[in-house]
Amino acid sequence: MKVKVIPVLEDNYMYLVIDEHTREAVAVDVAVPKRLLEIAGREGVSLTTVLTTHHHWDHARGNAELVRLQPGLAVMGADERICALTRRLVHGEELRFGAIHVRCLLTPGHTSGHMSYFLWEDECPDPPALFSGDSLSVAGCGWRLEGTAQQMYQSLAETLSNLPPQTKVFCGHEHTLSNLEFAQKVEPCNDHVRAKLSWAQKRDEDDVPTVPSTLGEELLYNPFLRVVEEPVRKFTGQVAPAQVLEALCKERASFQHTSEPLQPQARALLALQWGLLSVPQQK
């Protein structure tokens, strides 16, 4: 199983997952379809399926054009709001593409219909892969826009954290540096945070992606996976895991607003990308 990491838009990632024996390929979160097809052509693969983590514009905007350019393509996801959806998936459903197995994991929180995808090959020494969209990122997680803090806690602590620690995490955005800066505020004495932040700063200087991480690493420095740890509880002033998570989300919002305040135009653009606003039709 080969994974092509494809940076798109301002800070998004889309992915091309290739079965190296059959040359069948699956795309994850198609935002720029022509670029995806160019890379698929260079790789000499047959693209059969799109897996979409959630319906937001910056993860699903390319589906319709991709289907137009390549008729017959399957577009899969858990949310009916996903553009050009041809098959709705459910939690625990398993798919197969060549030798690649896919387990669909419903991870609500960022959106109510957010699906993460766990991929592996039988009898293969390579570690499995998790395509987590905006449910889990390197040292962070997506904004909780739909659902409850308890649902988001269950998605992170129960559904994802119990996957094998060697699992490679391929997330939806390059937010690693700001995530780690916040993680350092939460746990200033965490040596794993300090080391990862130094590493991420070098990657940022070199303009190189920071994905993938591994799930085992995330458990060491991602505060949103460490809500039962005493330093994280102390930072939030909460004890119950879901309340710790909710307090962390509020603190992060305040932290990012202070460090990088958004202008009104940027806020409107983000709302449009997340599907919270729609463009009025011309009369």
Side-chain angles (χ1 to χ4, degrees), residues 56-214:
H56 288 165
W57 173 89
D58 54 331
H59 294 260
R61 58 169 264 177
N63 291 351
E65 184 180 1
L66 188 61
V67 169
R68 181 182 65 80
L69 294 171
Q70 193 160 322
L73 199 66
V75 178
M76 302 183 186
D79 196 321
E80 291 181 346
R81 295 173 290 182
I82 292 171
C83 182
L85 187 71
T86 63
R87 177 176 169 181
R88 189 173 182 182
L89 303 170
V90 297
H91 177 69
E93 186 171 354
E94 294 197 359
L95 313 169
R96 186 160 182 174
F97 304 97
I100 301 173
H101 297 266
V102 180
R103 182 177 300 139
C104 304
L105 302 173
L106 190 64
T107 46
H110 181 63
T111 69
S112 58
H114 193 292
M115 187 73 85
S116 299
Y117 301 99
F118 179 68
L119 279 64
W120 78 96
E121 291 179 287
D122 291 332
E123 300 178 2
C124 178
D126 296 335
L130 174 68
F131 294 88
S132 57
D134 286 357
S135 62
L136 175 67
S137 56
V138 181
C141 67
W143 300 105
R144 181 170 67 84
L145 302 177
E146 300 175 359
T148 66
Q150 181 64 32
Q151 287 176 316
M152 192 168 192
Y153 168 72
Q154 290 172 335
S155 295
L156 293 172
E158 298 176 9
T159 303
L160 298 184
S161 292
N162 287 322
L163 295 173
Q166 69 271 26
T167 301
K168 291 185 176 181
V169 179
F170 295 91
C171 60
H173 290 272
E174 182 56 60
H175 291 166
T176 302
L177 197 56
S178 61
N179 286 346
L180 285 164
E181 288 170 348
F182 175 67
Q184 190 171 54
K185 179 181 178 182
V186 176
E187 292 189 272
C189 296
N190 187 324
D191 291 338
H192 300 289
V193 173
R194 188 180 299 111
K196 189 71 174 182
L197 177 56
S198 177
W199 175 85
Q201 288 168 337
K202 181 63 167 61
R203 302 284 284 190
D204 183 63
E205 291 169 2
D206 295 339
D207 195 25
V208 178
T210 60
V211 296
S213 61
T214 70

Side-chain angles (χ1 to χ4, degrees), residues 6 8-9 12-16 26-33 36 49-63 66 76 82 114-115 117 131-134 170-173:
I6 308 170
V8 291
L9 306 179
N12 278 75
Y13 287 118
M14 63 181 181
Y15 300 98
L16 186 67
V26 177
V28 180
D29 283 357
V30 177
V32 185
L36 177 74
T49 304
V50 173
L51 298 175
T52 303
T53 60
H54 61 294
H55 73 283
H56 288 165
W57 173 89
D58 54 331
H59 294 260
R61 58 169 264 177
N63 291 351
L66 188 61
M76 302 183 186
I82 292 171
H114 193 292
M115 187 73 85
Y117 301 99
F131 294 88
S132 57
D134 286 357
F170 295 91
C171 60
H173 290 272

Side-chain angles (χ1 to χ4, degrees), residues 182-183 185-188 222-252:
F182 175 67
K185 179 181 178 182
V186 176
E187 292 189 272
N222 188 328
F224 298 92
L225 298 185
R226 295 173 54 79
V227 294
V228 299
E229 301 296 330
E230 184 57 31
V232 181
R233 287 178 169 179
K234 184 176 180 181
F235 174 80
T236 62
Q238 302 292 330
V239 176
Q243 293 176 353
V244 174
L245 180 64
E246 186 164 28
L248 277 176
C249 290
K250 291 178 180 177
E251 288 288 342
R252 179 185 58 177

Side-chain angles (χ1 to χ4, degrees), residues 56-57 145 265-278:
H56 288 165
W57 173 89
L145 302 177
Q265 298 90 335
R267 291 180 183 274
L269 179 58
L270 282 176
L272 181 62
Q273 290 178 353
W274 287 342
L276 302 178
L277 294 177
S278 59

